[in-house]
Structures are given as C-alpha cells and as structure tokens.
Amino acid sequence: MTTILGYARVSTAGQDLDAQLTALVNQRVESSHIFTDKLSGAMNTDRPGLTALLHCAREGDTVVVTAIDRLGRSVAEVTRTIAELGERRILLRALREGIDTGTPTGRAVAAIMATLAELELELGRERRAASRDSRRARRLPATKPAKLALERQEQLRRLAETGEPVHELAKAFGISRATAYRYLSAPLVDSVLKPRQP
C-alpha cells in the first residue's frame, strides 16, 4: 500500500511551520507522516527531517511539499533530491509550482531540473579548477630564474676548459653537479661571448 508523505521546512527556528503543515493536511497527508526541519539556510546543514523522510519513503509513495524550494537551499540540492526520488520511483507533488511527477508534464519538468543540477555541478567543478590554476599561477614565477647569471656561467665554462673538476667547480659556484653539467652542455649565448666594444 502506498503512502502520502509530507515535508515542511523553514530557514530559522524562529519561523513558523503552521501554514505549510495546514497545506499538507489539506492534501490528505496524515500528521504522523509529515516530516519537518527548522534550520539555517546555510549550505551543508544537516536536514534530519528530510533524511528521515527519504529513509521512510518506499517505491510508489508520494512526497508532498508546499513549494519545490523546500527540498533544498540551491538548485543543485533541490534537483538532486528530485533525482533521488525519481530513481527510487517515489512520486513528488509541489503545490505552489503544480509539479506532479505522476504526470508526463511533471516528469518532464523534473528531468529538466535534474539536467540543470548536473550543469550547475559541472560549472562548479570548472570554476574550482580555474580558481586553483589561478592561485598556482600567482604563486609560481612564469619562468624559473637561472641559478647563475650569464657572466658567471661563462666563467664556469672557462674554468672547466682549464681542466678543473666539475664537482669542485659546482661547490665553488654554490650549485649542484647536475646544474653545473647542464650549464656546460648548454649552447653558448652569443651575447655573453661577444667582445665588449671599446
């Protein structure tokens, strides 16, 4: 046997649920089947009433809310809840918007909202990735600065050509052997080798 369940939510403990409860009872929702939450509108706040309703609801049941926004505090939250109800074959009626997923039109509206939720999640991921890239770009220099100025690189080359051991030169110049070998194997820069004009 299917059951009609109701859900009512207000954003603060000081707000009143009475109008929503009256509307749900008028839709033949028994008071023992109405779940409520009084909580902040802030994101990531637990909703024990909605959690209990979703735990109690079974395939074929109907969930009634006075308005679609009672199911969450963002488009993504609302549509995720609608999608979960749809996957579990639980019908939804939203009184203010006239949505009833027991009808073809209601299912179409719910499908559109689920698509919007996916889009919002994808855009959120893209925004977070762009933000991370931007933070990395601000922290890191565009190019890694050379450990040795061009004149010091040329000095290193000249000393290496005299037969000085590379590991000793690296120590003297305050660089690693790998860096010293990299400088020695790199092509010469014309501007460094060009004689100065008198």
Side-chain angles (χ1 to χ4, degrees), residues 32-111:
S32 60
H33 291 154
I34 295 175
F35 299 81
T36 62
D37 281 316
K38 283 191 174 188
L39 41 82
S40 164
M43 300 296 289
N44 299 321
T45 303
D46 289 334
R47 293 175 290 168
L50 183 60
T51 301
L53 179 143
L54 294 174
H55 180 74
C56 179
R58 298 290 178 264
E59 181 178 335
D61 288 351
T62 299
V63 172
V64 181
V65 291
T66 57
I68 203 75
D69 64 1
R70 298 302 83 199
L71 293 173
R73 289 143 298 182
S74 70
V75 173
E77 265 191 358
V78 169
T79 48
R80 277 197 299 270
T81 304
I82 293 172
E84 181 180 344
L85 293 172
E87 286 165 10
R88 294 174 54 191
R89 299 182 187 278
I90 298 166
L91 302 178
L92 171 69
R93 288 205 329 255
L95 305 179
R96 185 175 67 195
E97 294 82 3
I99 294 173
D100 183 348
T101 59
T103 68
T105 302
R107 285 192 294 275
V109 170

Side-chain angles (χ1 to χ4, degrees), residues 69 133 190:
D69 64 1
D133 292 344
D190 291 343

